[in-house]
Amino acid sequence: QVQLVESGGGLVQAGGSLRLSCAASGRTSGPYAVGWFRQAPGKEREFVAAISWNGRITRYADSVKGRFTISRDDAKNTVLLQMNSLKPEDTAVYYCAATPIGAATRVANFYAYWGQGTQVTVSS
């Protein structure tokens, strides 16, 4: 089992930045890819970004491309999501997830482990 804990959410004005962190514990020795998803009130969960097990491949939703950056530090069992130029429409609960598949997939169903989420609120 892998446990994931997100942190770094909060309230920020439009145009500001936040950095989310996803800390993994448990059976982390494996080729896990990690993804970030978000869910706004009344909306379905959507893919945000993903990074492959070795960090060489990253994928982003079109809505965040150029503004968000995903990275990983395996020595610290941590994946970061740097979010710049935030917009009110980025407001959501952000979840990190891990998959033993290893590939940076956009498909939520491929992710076996999920964190509890962290709230990001962007004011206009």
Side-chain angles (χ1 to χ4, degrees), residues 33-37 47-53 55 57-61 70-72 79 81 97 99 103-107 111:
V34 175
W36 284 94
F37 294 79
F47 168 78
V48 176
I51 188 166
S52 63
W53 69 276
I57 297 174
T58 56
R59 301 191 192 281
Y60 298 92
I70 189 171
S71 61
R72 64 189 299 157
V79 171
L81 184 67
T99 172
T105 177
R106 301 169 180 264
V107 181
Y111 288 87

Side-chain angles (χ1 to χ4, degrees), residues 107-124:
V107 181
N109 287 344
F110 288 165
Y111 288 87
Y113 307 103
W114 292 80
Q116 293 300 307
T118 184
Q119 176 70 46
V120 171
T121 303
V122 184
S123 63
S124 58

Side-chain angles (χ1 to χ4, degrees), residues 2-3 13 15 21 30 33 39-40 50 52 59 65-66 69 73 75-76 78 82 84-85 88 90 92 111 118:
V2 176
Q3 292 79 43
Q13 289 187 333
S21 179
Q39 187 166 20
S52 63
R59 301 191 192 281
K65 200 171 293 183
T69 303
D73 184 343
K76 297 181 180 180
T78 300
Q82 178 67 43
N84 298 328
S85 302
D90 294 318
Y111 288 87
T118 184

Side-chain angles (χ1 to χ4, degrees), residues 92-105:
V93 177
Y94 283 70
Y95 300 90
C96 70
T99 172
I101 290 178
T105 177

